[in-house]
Amino acid sequence: MVGVPGRSKACHNCRQRRIKCGGEVPICRNCTKSRRTCAGYQRQHAFILSKEMTTNLSSSVLQGPPITDESGLQSGGRIMISRYQNKSPEATSTAKSGYATRIPTVIPPQEIPIHNVFRDRLFAIFMENNIATVEQDSVQIPFAQRNDLMLQVIGLPDLSPALENTLLAVYIARLGRQHRLPSLLHASLGLYTKGMSAMRREILHPSSQYGDQNLATSLALLLYEITECPGGTLEGYMAHYRGTMQLLKMRGAGAHASGIAHSAFHIFRLHTVLPDMAENKRSFLADPEWRELPWSSPNGERLSKTPFDCLIDILLEIPEIGPKRQKVEAMTDPKQILSGCIANINEGYVLESRLAEWFDSYKETIPGALYHPRLSSIDSVVDDAEKGKLFPVAFHFPGFMSGQNLVYYWVGLMSIQAHLSFSYTTLQQLVVVLDAMGRDNLPCSCIANSTSPEAGKSLHCLRHFNIKVLPSLGQREEWPRTTAYNICQSTEYFLEDKIQGFMPASVLPALVLVKGFWKFAPGNMSREIAWIDDMLGKISASGSAVAGVIRGLG
């Protein structure tokens, strides 16, 4: 058998661009500089049977044990094949000259790599069993805007060892959970370890550390920690999360405008926004360049943002208001407290109006109702005969993206309403202190010669300040049992059997955030918190082990 490779040793991209390739492995320097996804050096080969190989082919022996699923996983998916040898008596002849003439023994490769075929088949099985089969949203999103990272990864001509091993770890672990096969779970842990080792080598290598596939590998590592959480703590997830954020920052905002980098960037923004709200920490992803450049293509065209992208842009700014409110709450100077509270309240109303504008525009894209209330069919440990169900009605959505949009909208609205309620409470406490001090004894700092309304002139004056000049909180005060309840009533939809794969975990950060806010809400919310803990257990049982770890943290 004779292999006929291509003549050029350059990578596929350099061949197409007709430039000299340095041949660096695994990614050439030209692709690194131009921020392209290096397609690798593999060539298609045409194998031709030679005349010697066809001689007495029937006497050739094909040996090797059959490959089972489990052995294929452990051996990396390679079939061992014996040598083809011509053992006929005519294989060796003696010439008249007395010299022995030996017909060359034809030896094809001893190992035929089939792991690509096995891997692609495994990917297909995984995609078939782990993509939601729910009804589609009323408005279809063009494929170019759907950011199907898994589909893009499968379409790559070659995968790095880090990405391949990590994806196989995620997929095999998922199949092991679904079919209750401990051997697959054990094999997935080995692949996860190999993937981390390969990722470390890729990151330390100057020519490959900024590669798009490293970004996808980071996402796969996060996904494995969410589903399996092998260490039983959040340390593994947080380590991958911090490493991924650092990789994003080093790559720069402009490196995520296309391909798998753009799709991975979308998902990382999703991983960032709710944890940042919980920690009251602003991410660099909220900076203007990170909200613009990833949607600006190299040819100057601007990619359109989906409604969910626009919503995330707003949510990324919400974590800024938490530290400002906490700073005011720690102040002792009444004048600084008054000015700080007024500034925080104004900022909260601005964010609320932006969310309202987004919601109005989103409603126009969805014909019909955004959700449908139904009687709840899920049981909880907090339900009893006397009190009944805590949430007797559940919300169901036209499609998964509709549900995700509304849940994240409610999360943002709940955060702003809680912020406004806490700020008004601080002002009410300040008014009590000022009245106790005696308002007449305080200096007047009303704005003189101002064109502002009379109420606005005394807004920052300790002597004449009146909280009634501010807009009424109204229903915002009821956020623990209105907006927060909406999020909880949406949980049942994400736990349905038709929501497959990793999608039930998409509601997990929202529930954790609601639980955190309820701990500081007025009134007794112990029953509601116990309900969330029960839902975390159900999400953990559905295949997201990290939910069980979070539940155990209290």
Side-chain angles (χ1 to χ4, degrees), residues 22 40 43 64 91 113 121 130 161 205-206 210 235 238 272 309 330 343 363 384 475 509 513 525:
R43 299 285 184 269
R121 178 56 184 155
N130 290 275
H205 200 287
Y210 300 130
E235 292 300 321
M238 293 307 301
T272 300
D309 294 329
K363 284 193 298 184
D384 55 42
Q475 49 81 29
L513 198 62
M525 308 298 295

Side-chain angles (χ1 to χ4, degrees), residues 125-178:
I125 294 173
F126 174 83
M127 297 291 286
E128 182 180 350
N129 290 279
N130 290 275
I131 297 299
T133 58
V134 295
E135 60 271 31
Q136 297 296 319
D137 286 16
S138 301
V139 177
Q140 297 294 325
I141 300 175
F143 178 80
Q145 300 178 17
R146 283 169 52 195
N147 306 305
D148 293 299
L149 178 63
M150 297 302 180
L151 295 178
Q152 291 178 347
V153 167
I154 291 175
L156 292 176
D158 190 28
L159 299 184
S160 67
L163 181 56
E164 182 177 66
N165 281 293
T166 309
L167 282 179
L168 285 174
V170 172
Y171 296 171
I172 291 172
R174 192 68 185 178
L175 293 175
R177 294 288 179 191
Q178 290 175 340

Side-chain angles (χ1 to χ4, degrees), residues 230-243:
T233 67
L234 294 179
E235 292 300 321
Y237 175 84
M238 293 307 301
H240 292 319
Y241 175 80
R242 289 189 293 266

Side-chain angles (χ1 to χ4, degrees), residues 194-375:
K194 289 181 181 179
M196 284 196 297
S197 299
M199 178 65 171
R200 184 176 183 275
R201 291 192 296 270
E202 296 280 349
I203 290 295
L204 294 178
H205 200 287
S207 65
S208 62
Q209 58 185 182
Y210 300 130
D212 290 354
Q213 291 199 27
N214 285 345
L215 204 58
T217 302
S218 299
L219 178 61
L221 290 171
L222 282 171
L223 200 54
Y224 190 85
E225 284 290 338
I226 291 173
T227 57
E228 297 304 307
C229 201
T233 67
L234 294 179
E235 292 300 321
Y237 175 84
M238 293 307 301
H240 292 319
Y241 175 80
R242 289 189 293 266
T244 301
M245 296 301 291
Q246 187 63 31
L247 179 60
L248 281 173
K249 186 180 294 187
M250 291 190 301
R251 284 169 52 93
H256 307 91
S258 62
I260 61 174
H262 187 65
S263 299
F265 176 74
H266 273 268
I267 301 175
F268 284 132
R269 291 217 313 169
L270 215 57
H271 276 268
T272 300
V273 60
L274 297 189
D276 285 352
M277 285 188 190
E279 298 179 7
N280 287 324
K281 182 181 65 175
R282 183 184 186 276
S283 167
F284 66 87
L285 296 179
D287 295 342
E289 62 175 350
W290 285 93
R291 287 183 286 166
E292 298 297 330
L293 292 182
W295 284 267
S296 301
S297 61
N299 58 9
E301 297 180 2
R302 178 169 176 79
L303 303 175
S304 60
K305 288 187 175 183
T306 65
F308 194 58
D309 294 329
C310 299
L311 175 61
I312 295 298
D313 284 344
I314 301 174
L315 298 184
L316 284 170
E317 298 183 37
I318 293 179
E320 295 185 66
I321 60 179
K324 294 178 181 178
R325 187 187 70 250
Q326 293 172 351
K327 182 178 179 180
V328 171
E329 292 172 350
M331 292 178 179
T332 56
D333 183 5
K335 189 172 184 60
Q336 291 182 349
I337 295 174
L338 178 60
S339 299
C341 282
I342 297 300
N344 289 341
I345 289 172
N346 289 335
E347 188 172 2
Y349 280 125
V350 169
L351 286 172
E352 186 185 51
S353 65
R354 290 179 60 189
L355 270 182
E357 290 176 5
W358 176 89
F359 184 69
D360 291 338
S361 63
Y362 180 68
K363 284 193 298 184
E364 296 177 358
T365 65
I366 306 295
L370 293 178
Y371 60 90
H372 303 278
R374 299 179 188 174
L375 291 178

